[in-house]
Amino acid sequence: MPVRPVLAAALGGTVLLCALAAPAAAAPGESVTVDSTARLAADGTVTLSGTYRCLPGTGPVFVSSSVSQADPRVRHGIGGNSARCDGVEHRWENTGKVSSETLKAGSAHVQANVMELRPSGLAPLPVFHATQDRDITLVRS
């Protein structure tokens, strides 16, 4: 079998999978926000917070978050909690621990996502309800 058609098929499949999992614009009535400050404890525990609003779906929904600082390509996952999607605004707070040398008080960047694991055949597919990227300040607590 020629190599070019195989490579084209593999690349096409990869592009399709990435498109299915890529965050999309929030639907009307859905949002996620990130508070302008976050707490950083001496042991490296980070607490991020904000609000979210999402509409009912068919699978479990979560609010996930990550923080980056010196290198924007390096993100540290900071917890993830179940979300209640009922069209009402709710508060979220995620806590996670990274090495105490990794993050410092000061400027940082946070990404928060409201993501549903929607049943689809053999494996659930991620469906993003809302995403926000925001520059914040990490404050020692």
Side-chain angles (χ1 to χ4, degrees):
M1 175 178 253
V3 174
R4 282 190 186 182
V6 172
L7 289 175
L11 181 59
T14 301
V15 169
L16 178 61
L17 286 175
C18 289
L20 291 173
E30 297 190 313
S31 63
V32 62
T33 68
V34 176
D35 291 341
S36 62
T37 60
R39 296 188 311 269
L40 174 62
D43 69 352
T45 300
V46 177
T47 302
L48 304 172
S49 58
T51 64
Y52 73 91
R53 179 189 320 254
C54 53
L55 302 174
T58 57
V61 181
F62 303 91
V63 178
S64 63
S65 56
S66 63
V67 64
S68 61
Q69 199 165 50
D71 184 348
R73 298 170 299 171
V74 178
R75 292 186 191 174
H76 305 279
I78 306 298
N81 286 310
S82 296
R84 184 173 51 218
C85 292
D86 56 8
V88 176
E89 185 174 272
H90 299 278
R91 293 277 312 155
W92 65 268
E93 182 176 283
N94 291 342
T95 301
K97 189 173 181 179
V98 297
S99 169
S100 59
E101 294 85 37
T102 303
L103 298 174
K104 307 289 182 207
S107 297
H109 186 81
V110 172
Q111 182 179 79
N113 298 294
V114 178
M115 192 236 357
E116 176 183 356
L117 291 176
R118 191 170 287 168
S120 175
L122 297 176
L125 290 176
V127 175
F128 289 86
H129 288 258
T131 298
Q132 184 183 38
D133 284 280
R134 180 168 190 191
D135 292 327
I136 59 118
T137 302
L138 286 174
V139 178
R140 283 275 179 205
S141 59

